[in-house]
Amino acid sequence: MAVFTDVAALIPTLCGCGADVGDAESVQASMMLMADADVVRVLEETAALAKQVEQIQVAAAGVIAVRSTRDRGHSGLSASRGHRSAASLIQDVTGSTKADAARKARVGEALVDDTEPSDASSPIGEEARGEGSAPWYQPLRGALRDGGLTSSQFDAIRRGLGEPPELEPDGTDTDPVDADARAQAQEEARAAWAQAAEHLIGEAAVRTVEELWQQARTIRDLLDPEGAEARFLDRFEKRSFRTFRGQDGQKRASMVFDDEGDLFLETLMAAALRPRRGGPRFVDPDEKEQAASLADDPRTNDQLAYDLIMDVLRAGALADAENVFGTRQAGVRLVQTVDADGNTGSVAHSEDHLVSMPGAVAEQHVCDTGFVPVTVDSCGNPLNVGREQRLFTPKQRIGLAIRDGGCRWHGCDRPASYCEAHHIDEWDRDQGRTDIDRGVLLCRYHHMTLHHGGWRITRRDKDDFVLHHPSGETFPMRTRTVLSYAWGGIDPPPKRFRPAA
Ligand SMILES: [Zn+2]
Ligand SMILES: [Zn+2]
């Protein structure tokens, strides 16, 4: 276990605890005695170490990829060892998945200076980076080397942004002015791609890899709208629905979606399966019951999805959609007392059945669905029933969804339709304010975490929201980069590029 001891010795907190770190078992035993903060620190230190090791691995994968290119044929490195591709050799050595090995090869190759971009099928790569200048993804290389990006994040951003389009000359190629203008436009495109990469690097720490890829893809489409349409149409062309029989004689199906169909299906599935996926709570008792019974339903998610699709097909065939998606909107009411001085009771209760709920639950409901102030005397006689105070109207929630694009909590990827609206001011202090500048979208989980865990969100004017941990630590709640692009909120504003026909 000499190697293990060597590695463990590189973790300062672990060594500082004075424990014997001879093997995996004793390491964990000594960590069981550590304070929470130290255990987290050990994880952070090992993660930093793992990043460095991964970097060396990726660099090696890149060299292997470069030495295994097709033009080297059987004398190529991987072929000479009996492997069809560099990725296959890397997979064999590292024991990783095929996709992971291919990613290491891609990223490693992109890190090697002065090589073709690894996407060799793209004829525009050489063109787009200009002669003698660094490729547009140079900032990604830097961030990967400094530990600002993992190789997965690097790959997600680089592949999501794709290569800048090859720009069309305005007139004939022979005109030197046009050639110059074209070269300049090409250089601008390269710079815009590099800038987008920088922005996404800045966001990498608080986004999942999937979301980074999606944002990069959307930014590319915003920068290159015509190319976006071409790519959209390309995916549309590939749409298909195919059925076939398996070996067992049972019918199976395979579907390839175009972008709109993909989104439509996502919303359909989300609406039906949300209670299982942690969507917002239902307030209507019927819907609540439905949600609870869905959670307890013995069917698997795949089975539920199948039944949903068949229901939709049947309903479509019978043109009677309401049988499938009944919509009812009402409200479960919670009652919370506020004394004459404006202090709220710590416990609320439900209007029906007088079930008690922690005050935090009531606050959370107030955020999401509003309230009606009722003044009563000490016998409970209503003296005055105020107007309904719905903090955020459905229209305002649309506004919030457009601004936030999903849960604003750092690192959370829940989409807007899974979110509740949280009002950052306490309602008893700022009653009735319906300013969407003071509201923020949070997924159900994070909305609950906030109200039950003593967290707080503040905002100065139109600055970014700031999340405060009870300990005083703060986290910026950054807007999604792709939205800054969509609204032109970056400096300088994004240009649009016109690709060659
Ligand atoms: Zn709230
Ligand atoms: Zn969240």
Side-chain angles (χ1 to χ4, degrees):
M1 273 317 226
V3 175
F4 185 87
T5 314
D6 290 349
V7 173
L10 295 170
I11 324 278
T13 305
L14 199 54
C15 299
C17 76
D20 167 35
V21 291
D23 55 53
E25 208 176 320
S26 63
V27 160
Q28 199 173 30
S30 52
M31 276 194 283
M32 289 296 281
L33 305 172
M34 282 184 177
D36 290 355
D38 286 336
V39 181
V40 174
R41 205 165 305 132
V42 168
L43 191 65
E44 283 166 355
E45 286 161 6
T46 48
L49 204 60
K51 253 186 191 169
Q52 290 177 23
V53 170
E54 202 216 4
Q55 233 186 83
I56 297 171
Q57 216 180 72
V58 164
V63 175
I64 290 172
V66 169
R67 292 187 186 169
S68 304
T69 48
R70 205 163 288 169
D71 52 297
R72 297 196 191 212
H74 290 290
S75 65
L77 199 164
S78 52
S80 71
R81 288 171 186 244
H83 284 280
R84 179 182 313 228
S85 66
S88 157
L89 171 60
I90 294 162
Q91 185 187 5
D92 192 36
V93 173
T94 59
S96 61
T97 63
K98 201 172 170 179
D100 193 49
R103 177 176 55 75
K104 286 203 170 92
R106 263 195 318 269
V107 175
E109 205 177 350
L111 286 177
V112 177
D113 274 317
D114 303 312
T115 54
E116 298 276 335
S118 64
D119 185 8
S121 64
S122 160
I124 59 178
E126 199 59 44
E127 195 78 36
R129 60 184 176 153
E131 212 162 315
S133 56
W136 66 265
Y137 52 86
Q138 188 65 22
L140 296 177
R141 283 176 167 178
L144 185 79
R145 287 180 181 136
D146 308 343
L149 283 183
T150 64
S151 66
S152 311
Q153 291 167 331
F154 177 105
D155 197 45
I157 296 174
R158 176 161 176 257
R159 299 227 294 164
L161 286 174
E163 289 295 324
E166 189 182 6
L167 300 175
E168 200 166 41
D170 286 335
T172 57
D173 258 329
T174 50
D175 188 334
V177 177
D178 280 344
D180 277 358
R182 182 183 173 202
Q184 197 196 334
Q186 203 70 62
E187 182 53 35
E188 280 178 1
R190 200 189 66 84
W193 256 249
Q195 190 196 26
E198 300 259 19
H199 287 138
L200 289 164
I201 291 166
E203 211 175 339
V206 297
R207 298 284 166 229
T208 60
V209 171
E210 293 74 21
E211 213 189 340
L212 269 184
W213 176 82
Q214 182 59 57
Q215 287 207 57
R217 201 181 110 157
T218 306
I219 288 173
R220 174 183 65 171
D221 284 351
L222 288 166
L223 290 173
D224 169 20
E226 280 177 50
E229 195 180 351
R231 287 186 289 273
F232 174 91
L233 292 175
D234 185 47
R235 288 187 291 271
F236 181 72
E237 277 306 309
K238 289 189 178 128
R239 75 198 185 281
S240 93
F241 177 74
R242 204 165 58 80
T243 61
F244 55 97
R245 275 191 204 286
Q247 300 275 7
D248 53 5
Q250 198 166 359
K251 173 135 312 171
R252 287 167 164 72
S254 145
M255 252 174 124
V256 180
F257 290 88
D258 74 306
D259 293 1
E260 261 189 299
D262 176 4
L263 266 182
F264 181 73
L265 186 82
E266 272 302 308
T267 48
L268 195 72
M269 290 291 178
L273 300 176
R274 215 168 264 146
R276 283 230 181 159
R277 296 176 173 180
R281 289 145 308 145
F282 291 95
V283 285
D284 175 274
D286 290 346
E287 289 183 352
K288 218 174 196 171
E289 206 186 302
Q290 250 179 18
S293 69
L294 182 61
D296 297 338
D297 197 302
R299 288 176 289 177
T300 65
N301 280 352
D302 285 353
Q303 289 169 337
L304 283 166
Y306 174 84
D307 292 348
L308 172 72
I309 294 295
M310 291 312 289
D311 279 349
V312 171
L313 285 179
R314 277 194 205 98
L318 301 170
D320 189 7
E322 274 174 29
N323 275 338
V324 181
F325 302 108
T327 51
R328 288 188 51 177
Q329 277 292 334
V332 135
R333 291 215 173 91
L334 287 180
V335 180
Q336 188 176 34
T337 53
V338 182
D339 70 17
D341 298 329
N343 302 312
T344 46
S346 58
V347 173
H349 63 264
S350 64
E351 195 181 67
D352 288 351
H353 313 299
L354 308 183
V355 180
S356 66
M357 295 274 168
V361 174
E363 284 167 30
Q364 208 181 326
H365 270 249
V366 163
C367 266
D368 200 39
T369 50
F371 65 98
V372 180
V374 181
T375 315
V376 294
D377 66 14
S378 56
C379 301
N381 297 306
L383 304 175
N384 180 31
V385 179
R387 227 162 26 90
E388 185 178 10
Q389 312 278 325
R390 195 171 270 280
L391 292 187
F392 296 105
T393 63
K395 268 192 188 176
Q396 285 176 314
R397 292 180 56 106
I398 292 172
L400 289 174
I402 284 175
R403 188 198 62 204
D404 292 343
C407 178
R408 283 287 283 261
W409 200 277
H410 60 286
C412 184
D413 65 351
R414 295 271 105 177
S417 68
Y418 280 62
C419 288
E420 299 178 348
H422 167 70
H423 200 284
I424 65 172
D425 301 313
E426 286 169 44
W427 68 269
D428 52 340
R429 212 178 45 208
D430 298 274
Q431 279 195 24
R433 272 191 71 187
T434 54
D435 187 352
I436 61 175
D437 286 345
R438 310 301 291 167
V440 63
L441 285 191
L442 294 175
C443 70
R444 178 187 171 190
Y445 175 75
H446 285 129
H447 199 193
M448 268 183 171
T449 303
L450 183 122
H451 280 280
H452 293 257
W455 295 72
R456 211 158 46 84
I457 295 175
T458 58
R459 183 186 205 190
R460 207 157 34 126
D461 301 324
K462 301 237 176 182
D463 290 356
D464 258 351
F465 290 94
V466 179
L467 178 65
H468 301 255
H469 185 263
S471 72
E473 197 180 349
T474 60
F475 305 85
M477 303 180 88
R478 301 184 43 173
T479 188
R480 286 165 164 75
T481 296
V482 66
L483 294 175
S484 308
Y485 271 78
W487 318 138
I490 59 164
D491 187 28
K495 268 183 119 168
R496 308 214 189 285
F497 296 93
R498 179 184 290 271

